[in-house]
Amino acid sequence: MADHFQLRLVDSRMLAPTVRHLAFERVDGQPLAFVPGQFLQIHFHYDDGTPTKRSYSVATVGDGSSPGVPVEIGRIEIAVSYVEGGAATKLLGELPIGGTVDASGPYGRFCLQAGDVHPRYLLLATGTGVTPYRAMLPQIEKLLAQGGREVVLLYGARNETELLYGEEFEAFAQSHPGFVFHGCLSRQPRAVPRPSDRSGHVQGVLAELAPDATRDIAYLCGNPNMVDAAFNALKEFGLPVPQIRREKYISSR
């Protein structure tokens, strides 16, 4: 059963014009044990008193535990998109340092799995759907160190200001030859384009990678339209459903 606890905001910064990175610690001082890829739920009330909740993937970069093994962290980081008129946006967008929120978790199975033996991982994301992959970086590093593995991250955004944690992924790619990062920009290219950039939506860039059922495991996280389109494209390339893992991010008021 998932824990229920209070979180205290200890740091925050803007990642993009409409996305805020928030760092919390548990008020009870306990670490959070989570498997990278899992999410928390933030509990609060609408103005009329009706209880509600929102889900946010944990973005914290933990240690290099093996896939499927929980990581203990003291600093719990999430990325929050601003939704015009959104109740969660009002709560988390205006939360001051030292402010507290009620939370529960972790939940979810959108995680790297120890039993996977396919040599290539295709990670697709849009928006804040990239946060679980940030948390997975130490596990990805461990996988790559074992040899015979490749990880490709296709990250879709409208322009370069919306590539959340983009510089972190770029730096990881430069220091880990088995990791490839493509920023897929659908509206506006960078002022100074990079060789790894791609134009268009992530599901459109998939064909360049020639997905193959004998080689690939795919992870899809973010906008439901992207997830559905990429899922269908991967099936057309012959990937069976068990080799395609999905997590949809739906904006709620």
Side-chain angles (χ1 to χ4, degrees):
M1 182 176 293
D3 281 346
H4 285 254
F5 43 84
Q6 277 197 315
L7 295 175
R8 179 185 295 112
L9 185 66
V10 296
D11 192 19
S12 76
R13 69 181 191 274
M14 296 304 295
L15 289 175
T18 59
V19 182
R20 187 184 187 193
H21 174 95
L22 304 175
F24 295 93
E25 292 176 352
R26 285 177 58 148
V27 172
D28 61 12
Q30 296 298 308
L32 176 75
F34 86 110
V35 179
Q38 289 188 310
F39 63 90
L40 297 181
Q41 291 185 334
I42 303 295
H43 301 258
F44 60 102
H45 293 81
Y46 288 118
D47 289 341
D48 65 2
T50 304
T52 188
K53 57 192 175 184
R54 298 289 185 273
S55 300
Y56 299 97
S57 289
V58 178
T60 305
V61 179
D63 61 25
S65 295
S66 298
V69 177
V71 176
E72 284 198 347
I73 54 172
R75 191 178 176 95
I76 301 159
E77 301 174 5
I78 62 174
V80 177
S81 293
Y82 285 17
V83 177
E84 187 67 32
T89 294
K90 181 178 181 182
L91 171 71
L92 296 172
E94 299 176 1
L95 191 68
I97 299 298
T100 60
V101 292
D102 294 323
S104 65
Y107 306 97
R109 296 180 294 175
F110 188 74
C111 309
L112 301 178
Q113 297 181 15
D116 288 338
V117 296
H118 290 74
R120 187 170 70 164
Y121 290 77
L122 303 179
L123 312 180
L124 278 65
T126 55
T128 54
V130 82
T131 53
Y133 303 139
R134 181 180 188 248
M136 292 175 186
L137 284 177
Q139 294 185 336
I140 291 171
E141 182 175 46
K142 193 167 187 176
L143 282 174
L144 295 175
Q146 295 170 1
R149 297 289 181 92
E150 180 186 1
V151 179
V152 183
L153 172 56
L154 300 181
Y155 181 26
R158 291 178 296 185
N159 55 62
E160 65 179 311
T161 68
E162 297 182 358
L163 286 174
L164 313 181
Y165 310 111
E167 295 303 324
E168 293 183 38
F169 291 117
E170 293 268 10
F172 190 86
Q174 291 171 11
S175 60
H176 299 81
F179 183 83
V180 178
F181 173 71
H182 292 305
C184 305
L185 302 173
S186 61
R187 298 275 183 90
Q188 183 180 13
R190 293 186 207 256
V192 181
R194 301 179 184 181
S196 60
D197 287 350
R198 296 294 183 269
S199 175
H201 295 98
V202 290
Q203 59 268 31
V205 179
L206 258 181
E208 176 186 332
L209 303 177
D212 186 323
T214 65
R215 180 178 56 181
D216 296 328
I217 291 275
Y219 284 74
L220 318 175
C221 191
N223 180 283
N225 293 331
M226 180 280 289
V227 171
D228 290 343
F231 178 71
N232 290 329
L234 288 163
K235 286 196 298 181
E236 289 180 8
F237 277 108
L239 264 70
V241 172
Q243 286 170 226
I244 309 172
R245 285 131 196 197
R246 295 173 285 173
E247 189 110 302
K248 295 181 180 180
Y249 279 32
I250 301 173
S251 296
S252 302
R253 294 186 182 279

